[in-house]
Amino acid sequence: MPTKKDILDLHFMDARCKLIDLAAFLDRVERHPGEVDFRFEGLKKALPILLSDHPGRAKAVLESLSDHSTAPAEKATFQGAFGAPQA
């Protein structure tokens, strides 16, 4: 069974890169004009989950970015998903 150090040795640089990429994305969105929408707010709401010490963070982040509505849409305006629930 790998140790915490083994996991850090194997995956730290990849996680570091993803974190820097996310920070750059947030900076890029904030320095441009216009209003943000629910997707940006959804990402910001997920950050405290990421920073928590509770197990199951990946599931909790996924759940926070998922649409839990059960009523079918009257008409689809596009094919695909937004990646975050609309407020």
Side-chain angles (χ1 to χ4, degrees):
M1 169 163 262
T3 66
K4 287 179 172 61
K5 183 179 181 327
D6 294 335
I7 300 298
L8 285 164
D9 288 345
L10 287 171
H11 302 288
F12 176 79
M13 291 305 286
D14 184 48
R16 178 183 180 271
C17 179
K18 290 174 182 176
L19 192 57
I20 293 167
D21 189 45
L22 180 57
F25 168 74
L26 295 172
D27 287 347
R28 195 165 39 253
V29 170
E30 287 184 338
R31 78 172 159 255
H32 283 81
E35 295 297 316
V36 296
D37 63 25
F38 65 94
R39 295 171 297 171
F40 189 72
E41 298 305 322
L43 284 176
K44 286 177 31 177
K45 281 174 62 175
L47 291 176
I49 299 167
L50 181 69
L51 295 173
S52 75
D53 290 332
H54 300 290
R57 284 178 291 236
K59 181 180 178 185
V61 167
L62 177 61
E63 289 291 324
S64 78
L65 295 171
S66 297
D67 181 358
H68 296 280
S69 63
T70 57
E74 199 170 299
K75 179 181 174 186
T77 57
F78 70 100
Q79 183 176 353
F82 286 114
Q86 291 183 338

